[in-house]
Amino acid sequence: IITFTANLAAETTYYVDDWGPGQTSRATRERFQVGGKGINVSKMLKRLQAQTTAVCFPGGNFGDNCKSWLDEHEIPYKAFTRDCITRSGSIIRAPGKEEISILGLDCQVSQAAVEKCVEYLSSLEGPCIIAVCGVIPDWPSVHWQPLRDWISSRESRFDLAIDTYGEGLRWFAKQSPNLIKINRDELVTLLDGDVSMIDTASLLERVAKVYDSGTWIVTDGSSSVFCRSPQGNVYSFQPRRTHCLSPIGCGDVFLATYLHSIYNKGLNRESALSLATEYASRNAESEDIADFSLEVEPN
């Protein structure tokens, strides 16, 4: 499972006793990590003992720090760095308060790096799943054209999974992906007009008539997860109640678990959906991403 992250984040989490407007808060400890949806998916896949490679574009002042972190955490990756700049990010956590997440300006990815990435993807042998994760900055620009060309003409040995948003979502939805996993707000953007008051199951039916895709999965925070199969069957699964410490990475844990369950474990969609939802809930209950017990699986 090849994850694709165009918008890395060199993140530092600051742990403080308290914070508020107009005051200076001193950290009691801090922790560096590499953020980005595809990185999170590969991190969870590694925990599940699934083969994965994280394709990414580290560069600039934070690029070496990101590569060192990936090496330290033994996350397999393929980096394309020429003329790229990685964004920074900060997370602030204090007891009894919701965390704050601040991200810097989007990453810069050069056409030269994109061309090298396409060469790498083309060289892969055997069946692969390409999971495009997170926003792709400046997606309509010419420097992403080599990737657009490759995806639109990809060979049958490549399955395509999509968990993106923004300008690229409609384009990717038209590339006959095997899986689209998005949240309800992102689903709404695929249809014209005000459809925000329509229920999720009905929205899925409308979207499926416009976009030729395989499986659709729509999450909505603590509300029900909806899944539409390629045959048109729509069903939902209600996540259990959780005491959420951090929502960051829950969707990425969900996607990693679902892909691993379908492609590597051979589970049916209902079982894969159930397990993915449970692990996403466990992730919400932990401070770090993909750092929770896998020992007891739900029935």
Side-chain angles (χ1 to χ4, degrees):
I1 300 175
I2 309 297
T3 65
F4 181 93
T5 305
N7 208 23
L8 280 180
E11 296 177 346
T12 301
T13 300
Y14 299 97
Y15 297 85
V16 300
D17 293 329
D18 193 17
W19 60 263
Q23 73 180 56
T24 298
S25 300
R26 297 189 180 275
T28 56
R29 62 186 176 101
E30 63 182 60
R31 176 173 55 87
F32 177 83
Q33 63 272 342
V34 178
K37 293 180 71 62
I39 300 300
N40 297 339
V41 173
S42 282
K43 183 179 180 182
M44 183 61 191
L45 286 168
K46 179 176 177 290
R47 284 219 59 205
L48 295 169
Q49 300 182 347
Q51 288 186 324
T52 183
T53 300
V55 169
C56 55
F57 303 87
N61 294 332
F62 299 106
D64 288 341
N65 290 342
C66 291
K67 289 190 288 183
S68 295
W69 186 92
L70 291 168
D71 288 332
E72 179 185 347
H73 288 78
E74 299 181 341
I75 297 175
Y77 69 95
K78 188 70 174 178
F80 304 94
T81 62
R82 182 175 174 181
D83 299 328
C84 295
I85 299 177
T86 298
R87 62 179 172 160
S88 62
S90 297
I91 299 171
I92 302 173
R93 290 177 175 166
K97 291 192 174 183
E98 292 188 11
E99 68 182 22
I100 299 176
S101 181
I102 302 173
L103 294 174
L105 299 177
D106 282 340
C107 293
Q108 296 181 28
V109 179
S110 70
Q111 183 168 337
V114 175
E115 290 172 350
K116 287 295 184 182
C117 173
V118 169
E119 288 180 14
Y120 166 73
L121 294 175
S122 300
S123 71
L124 295 172
E125 298 179 357
C128 298
I129 303 100
I130 310 297
V132 178
C133 305
V135 70
I136 301 181
D138 200 19
W139 174 247
S141 69
V142 67
H143 64 259
W144 287 111
Q145 191 61 47
L147 181 64
R148 288 193 290 268
D149 291 341
W150 184 85
I151 289 176
S152 62
S153 61
R154 66 190 182 279
E155 297 180 17
S156 59
R157 71 179 186 272
F158 296 103
D159 276 12
L160 183 63
I162 301 302
D163 184 9
T164 187
Y165 55 95
E167 294 176 300
L169 178 55
R170 288 197 178 201
W171 186 89
F172 278 105
K174 294 177 180 178
Q175 306 310 309
S176 299
N178 302 83
L179 170 68
I180 294 184
K181 199 287 292 181
I182 51 180
N183 64 38
R184 181 185 158 84
D185 290 339
E186 293 155 358
L187 179 69
V188 167
T189 67
L190 289 172
L191 294 171
D192 295 324
D194 185 7
V195 295
S196 58
M197 300 304 293
I198 301 175
D199 65 274
T200 303
S202 298
L203 282 177
L204 270 174
E205 288 300 317
R206 291 195 184 189
V207 168
K209 293 178 180 178
V210 179
Y211 298 95
D212 178 22
S213 180
T215 300
W216 291 80
I217 297 177
V218 179
T219 60
D220 190 12
S222 60
S223 299
S224 294
V225 177
F226 282 82
C227 178
R228 185 185 191 277
S229 73
Q231 295 75 33
N233 300 317
V234 178
Y235 49 93
S236 63
F237 189 89
Q238 175 61 48
R240 62 176 174 81
R241 289 174 175 256
T242 63
H243 175 63
C244 181
L245 294 180
S246 174
I248 296 176
C250 293
D252 308 323
V253 166
F254 182 104
L255 179 61
T257 305
Y258 185 86
L259 290 175
H260 176 61
S261 298
I262 293 292
Y263 283 96
N264 296 329
K265 296 181 68 176
L267 299 184
N268 59 36
R269 288 188 183 87
E270 290 84 355
S271 297
L273 182 65
S274 175
L275 183 59
T277 304
E278 171 61 23
Y279 281 173
S281 296
R282 294 186 191 186
N283 189 77
E285 295 169 332
S286 63
E287 287 190 351
D288 200 4
I289 296 170
D291 184 25
F292 51 84
S293 173
L294 305 179
E295 292 182 2
V296 180
E297 297 186 359
N299 296 325

